[in-house]
Amino acid sequence: TSILVNVPGEAGSVVTLLDGYQMTRKGRAGAALTVAAVGSFVAGTVGVIGIMLAAGWLADVAIQFGPPEYFAITLAGLLLLSRLSGGSILNAFVMVAIGLALGTVGMDSISALRRFTFGSVQLAQGIELVPVIMGIYGVAEVLLLAEEGIAKTQIASVKLRQLLPTREEWRRSTMPIARGSVVGFLTGLVPGPAAVLSTFISYTLEKKMSKTPEKFGTGMIEGVAGPEASNNGATAGAMVPLLSLGIPFSPATAILLGALVVHGLQPGPLMISQRPEVFWGFVASMYIGNLMLLILNLPLVGLFVSVLRLPQHILATLVLLLCLVGAFSLSNSFLDLWVLVVFGVFGYALRKLRVDPSPLVVALVLGPMMEKTLRQALFLTQGSVLGLVARPLAGTILIFAAAALFGPPLMRLARAGRSSKAMPQGSSVAD
């Protein structure tokens, strides 16, 4: 749905729509879906191999991180990933501020106090991520279609020869898939929404490494291949701390932990030696799952693309209906429906103003985790802010983030200063 109709079915698909939907508008939906399927298969396979070879060692590295390190990671991620759109820095930071403010609504995870609920019991549950992204991207797209009219938004049917990527598209996708697989697996070792974070990290990495970063967001296949691979790689990476240490770093692995405990199994360092059939059963199931993913996806690419042949007004109505049902089904709360509607109108306004909402989504994902780890870190350092950067790993992460954020503009200023000094006195542009 991210690629075909600009509606992320889950938070991990938000980045996919940035270039995936633009490829659909150019008639390359089949290529985008095929690359996404192959990238997911490759990343899943790499992740399973990583579990087999380095589960114990990688889990030991991840467990060494404390609250200051996690705060440094989230802050660095917020600063770097907020520049996804490459647009105005002011607009990006305004979107980040709105996302952070939304993340504070609800019950405080440490003190259990209600914040910014204005007496509403429903708001105590907080603002869910899914209605926000479905409103900003899905409902806003429906409103734009309604404004532009059916005739203007009609997309030509996709021909059979367009279902598979060209040789050039395969070449451009190879390295992003490889990098995304590694990035996703390593991100899965960190507590938090790894599947979401890995897609933003992968997209930012591909944009930095591209020779034409300004074309990202206009239908670059690298912007589909890397994030889709990292999304699946993060799922495999999150299994490492679960199987090696018995610690769930994501909601999905927390459910798996509960299922294992119900059956009298305790994941941890002794699981591989004492219950090898369970560990290798997990590995085998992930291999089979990745293979079935590929088998189901590739032959059905043509069927998925045929969705575009529906009349635009019918497709828009179905998208709006699915958004409403999806938002309500989260917790059977009418609050989620109101959030969906409000952010649909807000997303429509942002599209008209040509402001990218991606930094808001990043801040909403990272904000709660950043606040929680900051408070834990300040508790450990007895309120000392300097203690946050005194630890070598946390300080290194923050220095790297500051260099990556402020380095490019400072270098541009330095080059501009050197070029102005190099001009002879008295010369002008007209000369």
Side-chain angles (χ1 to χ4, degrees):
T1 53
S2 289
I3 293 173
L4 294 183
V5 291
N6 202 35
V7 179
E10 59 175 355
S13 301
V14 171
V15 177
T16 305
L17 61 78
L18 297 178
D19 283 277
Y21 183 65
Q22 295 302 320
M23 290 185 66
T24 295
R25 295 174 69 91
K26 295 179 179 180
R28 301 301 299 156
L33 288 170
T34 301
V35 166
V38 173
S40 297
F41 171 75
V42 172
T45 304
V46 170
V48 174
I49 295 173
I51 292 174
M52 294 168 57
L53 298 179
W57 177 78
L58 289 174
D60 290 339
V61 172
I63 205 65
Q64 291 176 2
F65 278 58
E69 285 76 21
Y70 288 132
F71 170 71
I73 288 176
T74 52
L75 179 60
L78 193 61
L79 292 174
L80 297 178
L81 302 180
S82 63
R83 301 292 294 123
L84 272 176
S85 61
S88 168
I89 295 179
L90 178 61
N91 289 342
F93 284 158
V94 169
M95 290 293 101
V96 167
I98 295 174
L100 290 176
L102 292 173
T104 62
V105 176
M107 190 173 291
D108 183 7
S109 60
I110 296 179
S111 65
L113 293 175
R114 293 180 180 179
R115 304 182 300 183
F116 307 109
T117 59
F118 304 101
S120 172
V121 177
Q122 286 187 318
L123 273 177
Q125 71 185 20
I127 295 179
E128 296 282 351
L129 175 64
V130 173
V132 171
I133 61 176
M134 293 178 81
I136 284 179
Y137 293 103
V139 176
E141 184 68 22
V142 171
L143 293 176
L144 283 174
L145 293 179
E147 179 192 26
E148 295 174 1
I150 297 172
K152 294 182 180 179
T153 57
Q154 199 75 5
I155 299 176
S157 61
V158 180
K159 297 179 175 59
L160 182 62
R161 65 175 179 272
Q162 296 175 329
L163 294 181
L164 293 177
T166 62
R167 183 176 299 179
E168 174 64 16
E169 287 172 333
W170 279 124
R171 185 189 65 80
R172 289 166 50 195
S173 303
T174 302
M175 289 309 297
I177 289 175
R179 286 190 289 263
S181 301
V182 176
V183 166
F185 184 77
L186 296 178
T187 308
L189 302 175
V190 179
V196 182
L197 293 181
S198 62
T199 58
F200 284 105
I201 294 171
S202 176
Y203 190 85
T204 305
L205 177 63
E206 295 306 322
K207 193 172 181 180
K208 293 290 185 183
M209 299 193 69
S210 174
K211 296 180 180 178
T212 56
E214 69 280 357
K215 291 185 178 180
F216 273 72
T218 63
M220 296 284 282
I221 199 164
E222 295 93 331
V224 176
E228 280 298 307
S230 65
N231 188 353
N232 226 35
T235 304
M239 297 293 294
V240 173
L242 174 69
L243 297 176
S244 302
L245 299 169
I247 301 174
F249 279 1
S250 68
T253 53
I255 294 173
L256 281 174
L257 176 62
L260 289 169
V261 172
V262 166
H263 286 84
L265 299 169
Q266 182 58 51
L270 300 179
M271 182 177 174
I272 299 176
S273 59
Q274 293 181 351
R275 300 301 298 270
E277 73 280 4
V278 177
F279 176 81
W280 293 109
F282 264 102
V283 173
S285 68
M286 295 182 73
Y287 268 122
I288 295 172
N290 281 310
L291 184 60
M292 291 302 296
L293 174 73
L294 192 65
I295 293 174
L296 288 174
N297 271 342
L298 287 182
L300 296 179
V301 164
L303 177 62
F304 298 149
V305 174
S306 66
V307 172
L308 298 178
R309 298 191 179 97
L310 288 172
Q312 203 71 26
H313 61 284
I314 295 178
L315 187 60
T317 304
L318 288 174
V319 169
L320 185 59
L321 178 63
L322 290 173
C323 287
L324 291 170
V325 173
F328 185 75
S329 65
L330 282 173
S331 54
N332 296 332
S333 171
F334 284 100
L335 172 66
D336 293 331
L337 291 179
W338 282 111
V339 171
L340 178 77
V341 172
V342 169
F343 279 93
V345 176
F346 182 61
Y348 168 78
L350 292 179
R351 295 283 291 274
K352 298 297 288 185
L353 295 172
R354 300 185 183 278
V355 176
D356 183 51
S358 297
L360 186 152
V361 177
V362 174
L364 186 56
V365 170
L366 292 177
M369 182 180 177
M370 184 171 72
E371 180 194 6
K372 182 179 179 180
T373 54
L374 173 61
R375 294 171 69 175
Q376 291 173 340
L378 290 175
F379 179 78
L380 291 175
T381 60
Q382 298 181 346
S384 172
V385 178
L386 294 177
L388 297 176
V389 296
R391 296 172 63 143
L393 190 55
T396 302
I397 294 171
L398 292 175
I399 291 173
F400 172 76
L405 182 66
F406 299 110
L410 290 177
M411 290 178 64
R412 285 195 296 269
L413 287 175
R415 284 197 296 267
R418 286 197 299 268
S419 61
S420 62
K421 289 180 179 180
M423 293 180 64
Q425 292 185 356
S427 64
S428 65
V429 176
D431 295 339

